[in-house]
Amino acid sequence: VAIDLVDKLIHIFRQGLSDSFYPVPQQAIGVGSAFEGWSPHARDVYCVLVPLSSPRGHAFHLELDTAGMLQRNFCVRVELLCTCTREQQGEDMLCFLHHPEEELRRRQDPSLLHTLCTGSYLGVEKTVHWFYQFVRVAWLLLPDSRHWCLILQPSSRSCKFQLSKDDESFTIEIVFGVQQGDSDIFVGSQPAETGIPSTTWLETCAVAEAKFFRHISRQAPQDSWHCKCLQLLTRFLTGVGFSSYALKTVVMHLLNTIPPTQWRREDFRQRLVDILKYLHCSLETKQLHHFVLGNANFPMEISLPSGFRVAAPPNLFEHLASSLDDHAKAVQEYIQLLHW
């Protein structure tokens, strides 16, 4: 339902704003626990990534901003392209580069540089605000609006709204992304720590990870319990010591080494033991490698940027090595998991 609704909104966008110079949203991609099959929440939050492509007369260029311990930050530079040949071929568009500004202002909508950019760079918060305004209008054009109540939940780096009908209720969170080449790695608008610049887009492997879970599901028997293992353990996390993403990373590493046929119901207890052993070892060494970046054994059918598989893998437990308090909290949470 979540993907279907977002795609309907995108279809309305394509119909109503096809001649504008705003980013062009592509088909939504489901990411995160709800689409990977292990959501620990009773009320699901459906996170979808909507790829953005550049509008006519524009090009997107990804520029590495900073390379942090766990994540690389990018800026999306917007370049104006010459469209004089399009005009000569009868296309109804003036060239932003070669027509006088006065004529452009009179006859054509402003370029993306003058709407959602700060300087030459696409703004995350401006893009999210623009899409929020669009959703307010587009929702009324959908037949679904007669049956569902939509409540917008403002967020500066994602478009979040709750849908409710009778006793049903769920939340959709739209994250925007720009694709790295033709790979399954994006730079995205996902929420981050406070104080991050509004033109900073964070590298995300969410699409590649969702494809990995689908890759495993195609190989696994129908009664595979690999998602149930992850779902059960994440329900007991308090998020104080380590995140559900760290636990998911452990399970992905094991799924890549233990054959899918050994995750059946009768293997459930042993797989839980394997997960906890792997987690214990990671806590002792204060080292948990990122699953996608730097993993030479990542499935070749999932497209990654050049050099991604052979890069140095980030350590998700780097913070535990630098903080005794954080490490103590993580060990305490692990002991609670063992108890449960």
Side-chain angles (χ1 to χ4, degrees):
V1 174
I3 289 284
D4 184 49
L5 277 173
V6 175
D7 280 339
K8 285 177 182 176
L9 288 170
I10 290 171
H11 179 69
I12 291 174
F13 173 94
R14 288 182 171 280
Q15 286 184 319
L17 298 174
S18 59
D19 291 332
S20 73
F21 300 104
Y22 287 107
V24 183
Q26 306 299 315
Q27 187 171 7
I29 305 169
V31 296
S33 60
F35 289 100
E36 291 166 349
W38 59 272
S39 176
H41 308 293
R43 288 192 171 187
D44 284 327
V45 176
Y46 293 95
C47 185
V48 300
L49 185 142
V50 173
L52 300 175
S53 60
S54 55
R56 300 170 301 152
H58 299 70
F60 288 160
H61 300 284
L62 301 184
E63 294 182 358
L64 182 62
D65 184 18
T66 55
M69 289 186 299
L70 300 179
Q71 208 159 24
R72 295 192 301 173
N73 298 342
F74 285 79
C75 290
V76 179
R77 182 168 60 83
V78 178
E79 178 192 12
L80 293 177
L81 304 176
C82 176
T83 57
C84 291
T85 53
R86 287 188 173 192
E87 188 182 358
Q88 291 164 6
Q89 292 168 2
E91 189 168 327
D92 185 23
M93 177 183 172
L94 303 180
C95 178
F96 283 114
L97 289 176
H98 299 117
H99 273 81
E101 283 190 28
E102 188 178 329
E103 187 181 6
L104 286 168
R105 278 197 299 268
R106 192 175 68 252
R107 295 181 51 195
Q108 190 160 273
D109 289 339
S111 76
L112 182 55
L113 287 173
H114 292 99
T115 53
L116 303 183
C117 290
T118 299
S120 299
Y121 296 99
L122 185 63
V124 172
E125 293 174 16
K126 288 180 179 180
T127 301
V128 169
H129 179 72
W130 157 71
F131 202 81
Y132 263 126
Q133 300 303 107
F134 164 72
V135 168
R136 289 179 192 276
V137 177
W139 175 248
L140 300 176
L141 302 176
L142 289 181
D144 304 79
S145 64
R146 294 196 294 270
H147 311 293
W148 291 89
C149 174
L150 179 139
I151 302 172
L152 292 172
Q153 300 176 337
S155 167
S156 61
R157 294 187 65 91
S158 64
C159 186
K160 212 170 182 180
F161 47 91
Q162 184 183 40
L163 290 163
S164 55
K165 177 179 66 173
D166 301 327
D167 294 332
E168 279 187 83
S169 177
F170 62 93
T171 298
I172 297 176
E173 182 173 22
I174 299 174
V175 170
F176 302 98
V178 178
Q179 190 176 16
Q180 292 194 37
D182 59 355
S183 74
D184 291 313
I185 305 299
F186 289 76
V187 300
S189 70
Q190 67 267 30
E193 67 276 7
T194 55
I196 191 168
S198 64
T199 54
T200 296
W201 297 72
L202 309 177
E203 186 169 67
T204 173
C205 299
V207 172
E209 290 168 358
K211 285 193 171 186
F212 173 76
F213 274 90
R214 289 200 292 273
H215 166 80
I216 292 296
S217 295
R218 285 195 297 270
Q219 296 181 336
Q222 282 192 330
D223 60 345
S224 177
W225 277 44
H226 63 279
C227 285
K228 286 186 174 67
C229 287
L230 185 51
Q231 186 178 53
L232 175 70
L233 291 173
T234 50
R235 279 182 180 164
F236 297 118
L237 286 183
T238 62
V240 174
F242 47 86
S243 64
S244 60
Y245 186 74
L247 201 53
K248 169 185 164 180
T249 299
V250 168
V251 172
M252 289 191 293
H253 278 296
L254 289 171
L255 283 169
N256 218 27
T257 54
I258 299 173
T261 52
Q262 294 180 26
W263 291 81
R264 286 190 167 100
R265 181 173 182 168
E266 58 265 29
D267 306 308
F268 184 59
R269 185 182 180 87
Q270 184 57 51
R271 294 295 80 84
L272 286 180
V273 170
D274 291 338
I275 293 166
L276 291 168
K277 279 184 176 179
Y278 196 112
L279 185 57
H280 181 252
C281 181
S282 299
L283 286 171
E284 279 200 321
T285 60
K286 301 173 185 174
Q287 194 165 69
L288 176 60
H289 286 157
H290 194 279
F291 179 64
V292 183
L293 182 57
N295 185 355
N297 296 318
F298 192 76
M300 295 301 294
E301 70 178 49
I302 301 172
S303 178
L304 301 181
S306 174
F308 220 74
R309 286 181 171 84
V310 296
N315 177 14
L316 270 61
F317 281 173
E318 183 77 33
H319 64 292
L320 302 184
S322 58
S323 170
L324 290 175
D325 285 347
D326 287 350
H327 186 254
K329 286 177 184 175
V331 170
Q332 187 60 40
E333 189 156 7
Y334 174 76
I335 291 169
Q336 288 178 341
L337 271 180
L338 282 181
H339 174 71
W340 282 316

